[in-house]
């Protein structure tokens, strides 16, 4: 969110300094691990289709400017009972956005995607041709390159200790000294509430997990599209094809699932087999072509809000925030940067922002 905001502001000629405690891209926050699902028919909220379409254009612009490959469109398959959150939500999002999606029955699903086991006769699948896989590290590098090319200054390896607002501007106190600015945009991911307290945020741990195909075929990025499947017990499982030399990433949905709140600075970066036991059991049942013992696990974090939607916009005359990613913000990142840049400059928004207003739960 911060990289895109720096880019969109610098592009408009605004004087920008971006500060990060690490050196992005890095594996210590929420934006790492080689792949993220990109979808346009976003079941989390019908208005997010507009964000995804705007983000896709900006991803393509970054690719053209930097020569980096960010987004690979593979199509997406959203499976479950017709009235399940995954199927009904994706269809509703597609309808609201005017996107054409195909709906296929269980037999056709089994025929086209034999990697999926245990499909019920009553299951259906929604096919979104716009879905795909986006690369977080390539995106971050491209956005930061575009930001610096447009004049932004980046200060990395420097922790922000506080952001103090007064009537004339903000003082950002870092480990390396103080910065003075007219406004601050705080996009600190799982650390956001340490800099802007009282926002309704719940950071949780959510590891990235990869599984090796048993046969080495059928799970390449070209033959295995982005999948989200809701099982009869409501468990949501997602996966997508592996890039050359990588294994298949699989995960469980976090919506409605209880997770202990964490402090980002104290994230346990170890990995225990117990933590991945539930995911391994699901992989055995629904993706028997994969070895259910993870080949790799990498810690990551999600920052939840009470309604599962982001917090994007102005919280005070000198302060804009971007956060509360709720586990689905990466695909929208450059569009989020554009929304935050418009918020800083009090420009009219093109995308709908009422459902992401950071003040919708009250003032921080
Ligand atoms: C397992 C998993 C799977 C996911 N899958 C998807 C997916 O398929 N599709 C999708 O769209 N999204 C997905 N997401 C969500 C997505 O990855 C996040 O929404 C997104 O990466 C959040 O970006 P961010 O900019 O908010 O946070 P971050 O990338 O963490 O950025 C915050 C930055 O702020 C810096 N920072 C924090 N505090 C300070 C400080 N005091 N001083 C200086 N710097 C500071 C941090 O170092 C960090 O670089 C997934 C997330 C997880 C965990």
């Amino acid at each position: 969110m911060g990289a895109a905001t720096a880019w969109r502001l610098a592009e408009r000629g605004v004087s920008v300094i971006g500060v990060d405690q690490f050196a992005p891209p890095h594996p210590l926050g929420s934006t790492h691990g080689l792949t993220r699902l990109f979808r346009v028919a976003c079941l989390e909220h019908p208005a997010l289709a507009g964000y995804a379409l705007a983000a896709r254009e900006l991803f393509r612009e970054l690719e053209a400017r930097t020569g980096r490959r960010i987004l690979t469109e593979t199509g997406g398959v959203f499976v479950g009972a017709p009235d399940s959150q995954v199927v009904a939500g994706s269809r509703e999002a597609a309808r609201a956005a005017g996107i054409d999606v195909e709906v296929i029955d269980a037999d056709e699903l089994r025929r086209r995607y034999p990697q999926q086991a245990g499909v019920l006769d009553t299951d259906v699948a929604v096919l979104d041709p716009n879905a795909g896989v986006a690369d977080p590290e390539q995106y971050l590098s491209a956005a930061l390159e575009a930001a610096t090319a447009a004049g932004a200054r980046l200060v990395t390896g420097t922790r922000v200790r506080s952001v103090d607002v007064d009537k004339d501007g903000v003082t950002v106190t870092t480990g390396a000294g103080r910065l003075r600015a007219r406004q601050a945009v705080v996009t600190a991911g799982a650390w956001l509430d340490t800099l802007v307290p009282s926002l309704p945020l719940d950071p949780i741990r959510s590891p990235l997990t990869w599984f090796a195909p048993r046969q080495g075929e059928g799970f390449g990025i070209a033959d295995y599209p982005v999948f989200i499947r809701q099982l009869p017990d409501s468990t949501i499982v997602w996966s997508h094809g592996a890039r050359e030399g990588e294994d298949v990433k699989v995960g469980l949905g976090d919506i409605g699932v209880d997770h202990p709140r964490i402090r980002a600075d104290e994230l346990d970066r170890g990995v225990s087999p117990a933590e991945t036991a539930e995911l391994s059991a699901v992989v055995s049942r629904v993706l028997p072509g994969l070895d259910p013992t993870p080949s790799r696990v990498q810690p990551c974090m999600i920052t939840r809000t009470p309604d599962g939607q982001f917090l994007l916009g102005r919280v005070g005359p000198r302060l804009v925030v971007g956060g509360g990613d709720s586990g689905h913000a990466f695909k929208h990142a450059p569009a989020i940067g554009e929304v935050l840049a418009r918020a800083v400059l009090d420009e009219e928004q093109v995308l709908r922002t009422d459902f992401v207003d950071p003040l919708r739960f009250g003032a921080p």
Side-chain angles (χ1 to χ4, degrees), residues 26-40:
H26 61 76
L28 303 170
S30 300
T31 313
H32 57 274
L34 306 168
T35 50
R36 288 287 186 276
L37 273 57
F38 176 85
R39 291 169 283 133
V40 175

Side-chain angles (χ1 to χ4, degrees), residues 1-2 19-22 24 26 29-31 36-37 158-160 187-189 191 195 206-208 238 300-302 325 327-331:
M1 293 188 192
V19 187
D20 201 291
Q21 61 190 340
F22 307 121
H26 61 76
S30 300
T31 313
R36 288 287 186 276
L37 273 57
T158 302
R159 178 139 181 158
V160 172
T187 53
W191 290 265
L195 293 174
S206 177
L208 301 158
W238 54 262
C300 194
M301 292 180 282
I302 282 173
D325 74 278
H328 59 107
F330 176 73
K331 69 182 77 56

Side-chain angles (χ1 to χ4, degrees), residues 18-92:
V19 187
D20 201 291
Q21 61 190 340
F22 307 121
H26 61 76
L28 303 170
S30 300
T31 313
H32 57 274
L34 306 168
T35 50
R36 288 287 186 276
L37 273 57
F38 176 85
R39 291 169 283 133
V40 175
C42 296
L43 57 101
E44 293 86 356
H45 196 286
L48 287 172
Y51 280 68
L53 291 169
R56 183 171 65 186
E57 265 184 45
L58 293 168
F59 281 140
R60 295 296 183 216
E61 188 177 332
L62 286 173
E63 288 176 336
R65 285 186 186 209
T66 63
R68 292 179 179 275
R69 181 83 190 269
I70 300 170
L71 178 62
T72 308
E73 281 171 77
T74 62
V77 184
F78 309 128
V79 183
D83 61 353
S84 62
Q85 186 191 9
V86 164
V87 169
S90 303
R91 291 188 81 171
E92 171 55 24

Side-chain angles (χ1 to χ4, degrees), residues 1-357:
M1 293 188 192
T5 310
W7 172 39
R8 301 314 296 160
L9 282 170
E11 195 70 20
R12 288 168 162 85
V14 176
S15 161
V16 177
I17 300 182
V19 187
D20 201 291
Q21 61 190 340
F22 307 121
H26 61 76
L28 303 170
S30 300
T31 313
H32 57 274
L34 306 168
T35 50
R36 288 287 186 276
L37 273 57
F38 176 85
R39 291 169 283 133
V40 175
C42 296
L43 57 101
E44 293 86 356
H45 196 286
L48 287 172
Y51 280 68
L53 291 169
R56 183 171 65 186
E57 265 184 45
L58 293 168
F59 281 140
R60 295 296 183 216
E61 188 177 332
L62 286 173
E63 288 176 336
R65 285 186 186 209
T66 63
R68 292 179 179 275
R69 181 83 190 269
I70 300 170
L71 178 62
T72 308
E73 281 171 77
T74 62
V77 184
F78 309 128
V79 183
D83 61 353
S84 62
Q85 186 191 9
V86 164
V87 169
S90 303
R91 291 188 81 171
E92 171 55 24
R95 192 167 34 243
I99 300 164
D100 273 341
V101 290
E102 187 187 357
V103 182
I104 58 173
D105 64 16
D107 282 342
E108 185 60 15
L109 174 64
R110 293 184 189 109
R111 197 184 63 74
R112 288 198 209 175
Y113 306 110
Q115 300 91 340
Q116 298 276 331
V119 171
L120 301 181
D121 290 342
T122 45
D123 281 345
V124 296
V126 179
L127 272 54
D128 175 359
N130 301 288
V133 179
D135 184 320
E137 281 87 357
Q138 289 297 314
Y139 153 72
L140 260 177
S141 297
L144 293 173
E145 283 162 18
T148 40
R153 206 180 112 206
L154 302 179
V155 180
T156 57
T158 302
R159 178 139 181 158
V160 172
R161 293 191 180 140
S162 63
V163 179
D164 298 301
V165 178
D166 57 57
K167 69 178 180 23
D168 302 317
V170 282
T171 302
V172 175
T173 306
T174 77
R178 285 194 178 149
L179 298 166
R180 186 78 187 144
R182 275 194 293 273
Q183 298 194 54
V185 185
V186 187
T187 53
W191 290 265
L192 180 54
D193 64 353
T194 65
L195 293 174
V196 187
S198 315
L199 289 170
L201 293 170
D202 254 334
I204 62 166
R205 182 185 151 95
S206 177
L208 301 158
T209 316
W210 287 260
F211 297 87
R214 292 183 193 276
Q215 302 293 336
E217 275 183 16
F219 285 98
I221 200 157
D223 29 55
Y224 185 63
V226 159
F227 256 93
I228 303 184
R229 183 165 157 198
Q230 189 158 3
L231 303 176
D233 66 359
S234 287
T235 300
I236 292 176
V237 54
W238 54 262
S239 64
H240 58 74
R243 292 221 176 93
E244 186 91 31
E246 290 166 25
D247 286 336
V248 181
K249 197 189 269 179
V250 186
L252 297 179
D254 285 302
I255 301 171
V257 180
D258 257 356
H259 285 283
R261 187 178 202 283
I262 56 154
R263 286 164 56 93
D265 276 329
E266 292 162 16
L267 174 69
D268 178 358
R269 297 200 174 272
V271 174
S272 77
E275 186 177 35
T276 50
E278 187 190 354
L279 179 57
S280 287
V282 172
V283 167
S284 301
R285 260 165 58 211
V286 306
L287 294 167
L290 300 178
D291 180 338
T293 304
S295 57
R296 183 177 165 218
V297 183
Q298 191 177 36
C300 194
M301 292 180 282
I302 282 173
T303 308
R304 300 212 259 194
T305 63
D307 61 5
Q309 307 301 341
F310 319 136
L311 304 183
L312 309 177
R314 186 169 286 293
V315 293
R318 303 272 167 196
L319 194 59
V320 167
V321 298
D325 74 278
S326 302
H328 59 107
F330 176 73
K331 69 182 77 56
H332 308 297
I336 287 173
E338 176 66 19
V339 164
L340 297 178
R342 284 173 184 267
V344 168
L345 301 173
D346 293 321
E347 284 177 14
E348 196 182 335
Q349 295 288 352
V350 175
L351 294 168
R352 206 179 125 186
T353 53
D354 56 324
F355 72 109
V356 291
D357 182 347

